[in-house]
Amino acid sequence: MTTHTQNRVARRPMVVLVPAVLLMALGAWVFFAPLVGPYFSFGFDTSTHWRFSQNHVLMSLIPGIAIFVGGILMMARSRAVAWLAALLAVAGGVWLVIGPSLHQTWSTTGFQPMAGGTWKTGLRWIAFFYGAGALAVYLGGQAQGLIERATAKSEVSAPAASVPPAPYRMTNPTGTPVQRRESDQRQPVSSHNA
């Protein structure tokens, strides 16, 4: 592996460090918020602490795991793994955004936030699903863009390894090579004086 390739591979995880850490924190929030929210009167569909219902598993726990794992795998040295990890985080975010709307198509149980004022109810929907999902989609998309940008920059600056450098050749303003005169050419100097 050449030095340039080593630098490019070592630099890639640093490019996505901020989005990856933010996605890990967001994934942890999405995972734990329904379980510990009732401690702070911020539960969604139950006031019981640490209750794993089917609604929690499908609507929060699985997307939270996907977002968190996507954030961790973005730090991989492989460009393909990092790109797929960002896609996993985006998929978790998309599920958070569309999942609550589709919930009634497969479940007969209600899925509503705990009783509270209109502002608190709105904040619960945003904090648990819509806002968290939109943020995951944004951060995953940003990470994919940063990965592509770092790859494109490194490919542009990469020297051609298989082609040896050509000797310096002067050209005219038109781009054609300058013909050297015989008087300009150097004669080999012999070390023996005869």
Side-chain angles (χ1 to χ4, degrees), residues 77-170:
R77 292 193 182 271
S78 169
R79 177 181 158 264
V81 171
W83 194 86
L84 288 173
L87 188 62
L88 178 65
V90 168
V94 167
W95 180 250
L96 286 174
V97 171
I98 66 170
S101 299
L102 296 177
H103 179 265
Q104 57 193 342
T105 62
W106 72 77
S107 180
T108 57
T109 61
F111 189 66
Q112 295 295 322
M114 298 297 296
T118 55
W119 279 100
K120 193 169 187 178
T121 301
L123 285 175
R124 284 179 180 149
W125 279 107
I126 292 170
F128 280 80
F129 300 105
Y130 301 123
L135 188 58
V137 169
Y138 170 75
L139 290 171
Q142 181 189 30
Q144 285 178 328
L146 289 172
I147 291 166
E148 291 298 320
R149 181 176 176 223
T151 303
K153 281 178 74 175
S154 65
E155 288 174 358
V156 167
S157 65
S162 62
V163 179
Y168 176 74
R169 182 180 267 176
M170 292 181 56

Side-chain angles (χ1 to χ4, degrees), residues 43-67:
F44 195 78
D45 66 338
T46 183
S47 60
T48 307
H49 313 297
W50 294 97
R51 178 177 169 242
F52 286 95
S53 68
Q54 183 181 3
N55 288 338
H56 287 150
V57 171
L58 291 175
M59 304 304 292
S60 295
L61 301 180
I62 291 174
I65 291 170
I67 294 168

